[in-house]
Amino acid sequence: KHLLQIYDKPMIYYSISVIMLLGIKNILIITNSKFLKNYKLLLGNGKKLGIKIQYKIQNKPRGVPEAFKISKKFLGSDPFIFLLGDNIFFGHGLIDLINSAIDNNVGCSIFSYAVKKPENFGVIKISRFNKIEKITEKPKKFISKLAITGLYIFDHKCHEYLKKIKPSKRNELEIVSILNQYLSDSTLKNNILTRGISWFDTGNFESLLDANILIYQSQKNN
């Protein structure tokens, strides 16, 4: 899916461009072995882009946090940006917002976005002072409109928390379980994506179309 076109570029280009704009030059891509050749044909080792790209395999969908285990050697004890390849972020002020979050991160930082159908996402409830009160995965009852996007900043403690969590009913490790560990330790910070910044989780056809239209219109107007 991440190799599909979003207007005139492969979807993965948008994730990589965000990382590059942040000044990060070491990138690890985790993919299914069936598509590894395609990624290498498209991106290679990143040298032509002025970055270094490595690859790891995840053949079965055992949950997003398994990526921490797969990439542990690559990450070492350094803090890192974790970005889902099917999430597209677009808009003025995005990089400044992420850089500010990096500079002020003391554990884990998440980025939330107001959506029309919060029941389809991990959702946070915040206080009037932007303090996170609760995180719920795909809530059946309304909690808030703030969905957690696929962009995270983690410190090395994610590896410790990974050992504590258990698979959910769908037999996957859930990212919300990791976030709740940070929340319990009061080291989870929320950053709301403000007006002028758009976010698309292209896991459905409607969102995929919306992303195509926005990118097309933006490039056409420029």
Side-chain angles (χ1 to χ4, degrees):
K1 179 176 63 176
H2 305 160
L3 296 173
L4 292 175
Q5 294 286 118
I6 300 294
Y7 183 43
D8 61 347
K9 300 178 186 68
M11 186 186 298
I12 192 68
Y13 276 21
Y14 296 90
S15 298
I16 291 176
S17 66
V18 168
I19 294 171
M20 290 177 65
L21 287 169
L22 292 169
I24 298 171
K25 295 186 178 297
N26 291 314
I27 299 174
L28 178 68
I29 294 177
I30 299 175
T31 183
N32 190 296
S33 58
K34 291 188 296 184
F35 306 113
L36 180 60
K37 182 179 179 180
N38 302 82
Y39 280 103
K40 287 187 173 181
L41 283 172
L42 179 67
L43 301 167
N45 60 10
K47 187 175 181 180
K48 291 182 179 179
L49 299 173
I51 57 179
K52 183 179 180 180
I53 298 177
Q54 298 182 51
Y55 301 89
K56 290 287 185 180
I57 300 299
Q58 183 187 38
N59 279 324
K60 295 184 179 180
R62 298 189 181 94
V64 173
E66 192 189 45
F68 302 154
K69 182 179 180 181
I70 293 171
S71 58
K72 187 174 181 180
K73 185 176 180 181
F74 171 83
L75 296 170
S77 59
D78 296 327
F80 61 96
I81 294 284
F82 186 80
L83 178 55
L84 298 180
D86 60 357
N87 277 227
I88 295 176
F89 297 84
F90 188 83
H92 179 72
L94 173 65
I95 300 304
D96 288 341
L97 177 65
I98 300 173
N99 272 323
S100 177
I102 291 172
D103 291 341
N104 294 288
N105 186 59
V106 293
C108 174
S109 294
I110 59 176
F111 297 82
S112 61
Y113 187 84
V115 296
K116 294 180 180 179
K117 297 180 179 180
E119 64 272 14
N120 295 331
F121 303 94
V123 175
I124 61 173
K125 181 181 180 181
I126 60 173
S127 69
R128 57 186 294 189
F129 304 107
N130 198 31
K131 182 179 180 181
I132 302 171
E133 296 181 344
K134 186 178 182 180
I135 305 174
T136 306
E137 179 67 23
K138 296 181 180 178
K140 294 181 180 179
K141 295 183 179 179
F142 180 80
I143 296 174
S144 82
K145 292 183 178 181
L146 288 176
I148 301 171
T149 69
L151 172 64
Y152 312 85
I153 303 168
F154 287 105
D155 69 359
H156 68 280
K157 285 189 177 180
C158 69
H159 303 298
E160 298 174 25
Y161 295 146
L162 180 62
K163 298 175 183 178
K164 298 179 181 180
I165 66 173
K166 297 180 180 180
S168 63
K169 292 181 180 178
R170 58 179 183 170
N171 201 33
E172 290 187 13
L173 299 173
E174 305 290 349
I175 192 67
V176 167
S177 299
I178 296 286
L179 299 182
N180 276 318
Q181 293 285 329
Y182 280 100
L183 180 60
S184 296
D185 287 347
S186 301
T187 55
L188 181 66
K189 186 176 180 181
N190 177 45
N191 302 271
I192 299 176
L193 297 179
T194 55
R195 184 176 298 177
I197 299 175
S198 297
W199 168 62
F200 301 95
D201 179 354
T202 60
N204 60 69
F205 292 116
E206 182 181 357
S207 184
L208 188 62
L209 177 60
D210 288 341
N212 272 278
I213 292 171
L214 177 66
I215 300 298
Y216 164 71
Q217 290 177 338
S218 175
Q219 292 190 192
K220 182 181 178 181
N221 292 335
N222 289 333

